Amino acid sequence: MNAQPWLKSYPAGVRWDAPIEPLHVHSILAQSVRRFGPLPAFEFMDRRISYAELEALADRAAAGFQKLGVGPSVHVGLYLPNTPHYPIAFFGVLKAGGTVVNYSPLDALRTLELKIEDSETDILVTLDVASLYPRADKLLASTRLKKLVIGEFSEYALAPGPAKAFMTAQNMLSEIRRDERIVAFRDLIDNDGRHSVHELDPREALAVIQYTGGTTGSPKGAMLTHANLTAACAQYTETATRTDPPGMLEGKERTLCVLPLFHIYALSAVMILGLRLGAELVLHPRFDPSAVAKDIALKKITVFPGVPTMHVAVLNLPGVETFDFSSLKFCASGGAPLPVAVQQKFQAIAGCRLAEGWGMSETSPVGTFTPRGAAPRPGSCGVPMPRVEMKFVDVVDPSREVALGERGEICVRGPNVMKGYWKKPEETAAVTTADGYFRTGDVGVMDEDGYIYIVDRTKDMLIVGGFNVYPRNIEEAIYQHPSVEEVSVIGVPDAYRGETPKAFVKLKAGAPPLTLDEMKAFLRNRLGKHEMIGELEIRDQLPKTPVGKISKKDLRESERTRAG
């Protein structure tokens, strides 16, 4: 393979060898405050928070966290939706010298417990909403957690009183019990903002532990250093601002932040990048396609990053053709493969190109980008980002590199690639080649112009609505049902979620019939929402391999045949 066949496809002005300096993540905010201080950084429930105000709040959070014992090697969990609490706490933890651990509200309670213990999280920041606080309180009792910091959902709204009254009437809030281990967010930041500054090496100090299944099913914490995340920011900035005309203008963009900030895509490619460029980030705590379409039109959103399921939902809104999307200039899709039909329909309605990219938690999540202004390449996720080196190795024999145009496992190397998996040196070694590339587990093809097409995965991982889902986790939960003898889960195509888990079940002799609704009810407290099965098929026998294992290959083949 030509070492860098993608260079011929780079837009004029974009440098593959762009200089990248290792920095602290919070230095990005500090630089932007100097340049964009009075401009709005975030908008939430009609209230705007300027860059200067955001840094002042983050300084006060840093001082508050240090009073709670946060410093180097102390891990603070963020169990939050998209509200101003997230960026304030995120930068507060980093300024205090600590490390952020992201927690998903979609995770099952048992998964949260395992991650807290594994990551050695001491403090958890969350909100008073009914979907979060009761579980956080249980975690305080059942895990190593020492403190809960609890914010009020509406305290950063333009009209906090009416917002709180409405949410209370809708039973959306929880009563917070008083306990010496529970700290109100407003008390955390009730100080003058003076805090100690730790001189940490950005190339070694961990900014974030981001949990992912990687290329296997067991959750692992990707260790992302300050240098990893600031490198990713520099790489995104290079591709977004140095084209002619630029894709994004500094101090001019209004970005819709509906992707969850606990996800690496939103954290890195939306929040950190947006703050670096002086954008105003309009926060949506949850995805509501109608609210998204209305905000794009009324608030003149210019940048809309999403996952395919979001784009599908917006396209399916009644009367979507009547919305004014003329302000959009940069739309992106990531997290899962983007169906060509969805891409084309979105572009026809929005009048804005929907560019696809690829990356992983382990790569911060820099990987590929679609060159601005280039002719569409349906099915491609673009070319390697600046400073990202790629090679493709034989899936059976990873020591052998395949030729250009041949299918192989994608391997990447660059300043954005994680330090390794938290407390898992063996698994880190297993995904690292002898010459320092990260083996992604994704199988792809690179054409002669350097464009990449993802064609398969080396493992059974599914991508459901942009989230990694692992069949084994679902199978383990289904096996707990008293009527189930055997089960196997595969992914089947889903027009909205991309893929949905389908369970094939053999019942025990004499067991009563089992419906999909009954199984969903059984699994509700055992799985996260993103893991819930979408289909159930009861079979007398499940196909087996010669050694007696259930054959997912045969199940996939039967699904392909059934689908026509």
Side-chain angles (χ1 to χ4, degrees):
M1 179 187 292
N2 175 4
Q4 296 174 327
W6 54 85
L7 292 184
K8 69 180 75 169
S9 299
Y10 258 48
V14 177
R15 304 162 294 176
W16 179 85
D17 59 351
I20 293 177
E21 180 184 359
L23 301 169
H24 295 102
V25 175
H26 44 286
S27 71
I28 291 176
L29 175 59
Q31 292 171 4
S32 289
V33 170
R34 290 193 290 271
R35 301 179 62 200
F36 312 113
L39 296 181
F42 288 96
E43 190 240 68
F44 176 70
M45 297 180 74
D46 297 323
R47 178 185 168 186
R48 285 174 160 168
I49 296 175
S50 72
Y51 276 82
E53 184 182 2
L54 174 62
E55 183 166 58
L57 288 166
D59 283 338
R60 289 159 58 187
F65 280 126
Q66 286 186 341
K67 289 177 183 177
L68 296 181
V70 176
S73 301
V74 176
H75 299 166
V76 179
L78 302 187
Y79 185 47
L80 294 164
N82 290 2
T83 69
H85 303 85
Y86 188 98
I88 294 167
F90 178 82
F91 286 105
V93 171
L94 299 188
K95 284 171 173 279
T99 298
V100 167
V101 185
N102 279 314
Y103 289 92
S104 168
L106 297 174
D107 279 339
L109 185 65
R110 180 57 181 156
T111 302
L112 294 169
E113 290 174 337
L114 291 173
K115 290 179 179 179
I116 286 171
E117 296 297 339
D118 180 69
S119 66
E120 301 175 10
T121 295
D122 290 331
I123 298 167
L124 190 70
V125 184
T126 191
L127 296 183
D128 60 348
V129 295
S131 60
L132 294 176
Y133 169 70
R135 301 176 88 199
D137 201 35
K138 290 179 181 177
L139 294 169
L140 185 63
S142 64
T143 68
R144 58 171 282 134
L145 285 178
K146 299 179 177 66
K147 297 279 186 181
L148 284 185
V149 177
I150 313 292
E152 294 183 17
F153 181 90
S154 59
E155 61 189 325
Y156 288 105
L158 182 63
K164 184 173 183 178
F166 172 80
M167 295 182 71
T168 301
Q170 298 296 315
N171 295 317
M172 298 170 67
L173 301 179
S174 290
E175 189 70 30
I176 309 301
R177 66 182 180 86
R178 296 186 178 276
D179 187 303
E180 68 277 2
R181 295 192 296 164
I182 294 178
V183 179
F185 194 87
R186 60 162 51 96
D187 292 336
L188 176 83
I189 62 173
D190 185 16
N191 57 67
D192 60 9
R194 296 179 184 176
H195 60 278
S196 301
V197 177
H198 297 277
E199 299 297 331
L200 304 175
D201 183 348
R203 292 164 295 188
E204 295 297 327
L206 299 187
V208 173
I209 295 178
Q210 187 75 28
Y211 273 89
T212 174
T215 57
T216 62
S218 58
K220 295 181 290 292
M223 296 188 290
L224 303 179
T225 65
H226 284 264
N228 289 152
L229 289 171
T230 54
C233 184
Q235 290 162 306
Y236 287 129
T237 302
E238 182 73 16
T239 60
T241 65
R242 289 182 61 86
T243 55
D244 185 19
M248 298 172 71
L249 296 172
E250 295 183 338
K252 301 293 185 181
E253 307 301 345
R254 183 171 288 168
T255 300
L256 188 65
C257 185
V258 66
L259 288 165
L261 287 168
F262 61 77
H263 193 286
I264 190 61
Y265 179 9
L267 173 65
S268 178
V270 182
M271 187 181 84
I272 297 176
L273 173 64
L275 294 177
R276 159 64 182 81
L277 298 179
E280 177 183 359
L281 287 87
V282 178
L283 294 173
H284 280 218
R286 65 183 182 88
F287 175 63
D288 177 338
S290 179
V292 164
K294 288 177 181 177
D295 262 11
I296 291 174
L298 295 176
K299 297 181 179 179
K300 303 302 179 186
I301 298 296
T302 62
V303 181
F304 175 30
V307 294
T309 52
M310 291 179 176
H311 302 307
V312 169
V314 171
L315 290 175
N316 287 332
L317 283 171
V320 67
E321 299 86 356
T322 65
F323 282 90
D324 179 9
F325 291 159
S326 61
S327 61
L328 289 174
K329 56 186 285 191
F330 187 85
C331 294
S333 182
L338 175 66
V340 174
V342 173
Q343 183 182 39
Q344 293 173 342
K345 185 177 179 182
F346 183 92
Q347 291 173 168
I349 289 177
C352 174
R353 185 169 185 178
L354 179 56
E356 187 173 7
W358 167 91
M360 302 178 72
S361 295
E362 292 90 337
T363 65
S364 304
V366 164
T368 68
F369 76 106
T370 299
R372 183 172 174 81
R377 306 250 181 158
S380 172
C381 58
V383 300
M385 291 280 281
R387 291 288 181 181
V388 170
E389 300 174 81
M390 283 197 178
K391 68 176 184 178
F392 295 72
V393 301
D394 187 275
V395 173
V396 177
D397 178 13
S399 65
R400 184 181 75 85
E401 187 172 348
V402 302
L404 184 67
E406 288 187 19
R407 184 177 291 207
E409 181 180 2
I410 302 172
C411 300
V412 301
R413 185 169 65 183
N416 53 294
V417 177
M418 68 172 181
K419 188 176 181 178
Y421 290 123
W422 171 255
K423 297 195 298 190
K424 287 182 168 57
E426 298 85 2
E427 297 201 35
T428 300
V431 297
T432 306
T433 65
D435 51 353
Y437 282 78
F438 167 64
R439 294 177 54 191
T440 68
D442 280 343
V443 180
V445 173
M446 179 181 284
D447 68 19
E448 61 183 8
D449 296 322
Y451 280 81
I452 294 164
Y453 300 78
I454 307 294
V455 297
D456 206 347
R457 288 189 285 275
T458 60
K459 303 296 179 180
D460 295 326
M461 182 186 81
L462 314 180
I463 299 180
V464 180
F467 293 95
N468 294 354
V469 171
Y470 302 93
R472 181 175 177 180
N473 294 345
I474 304 173
E475 290 162 358
E476 292 289 344
I478 292 175
Y479 268 122
Q480 297 175 34
H481 194 287
S483 296
V484 172
E485 180 175 316
E486 289 182 334
V487 61
S488 185
V489 173
I490 65 170
V492 296
D494 183 289
Y496 176 59
R497 303 168 84 192
E499 285 183 297
T500 197
K502 178 173 181 177
F504 295 84
V505 169
K506 177 186 177 183
L507 298 176
K508 294 177 181 177
L514 186 62
T515 68
L516 175 61
D517 286 343
E518 289 169 342
M519 179 58 79
K520 284 185 172 181
F522 176 79
L523 296 174
R524 191 157 292 124
N525 294 323
R526 292 173 170 83
L527 295 175
K529 292 179 181 178
H530 57 308
E531 297 173 307
M532 184 58 68
I533 62 172
E535 296 184 34
L536 173 67
E537 183 173 329
I538 305 298
R539 291 193 173 190
D540 292 333
Q541 298 290 335
L542 298 184
K544 303 286 175 46
T545 67
V547 295
K549 294 182 179 180
I550 298 174
S551 174
K552 290 182 183 288
K553 178 182 178 181
D554 289 344
L555 290 173
R556 292 191 186 102
E557 187 59 39
S558 69
E559 277 299 294
R560 282 192 288 269
T561 301
R562 184 180 68 84

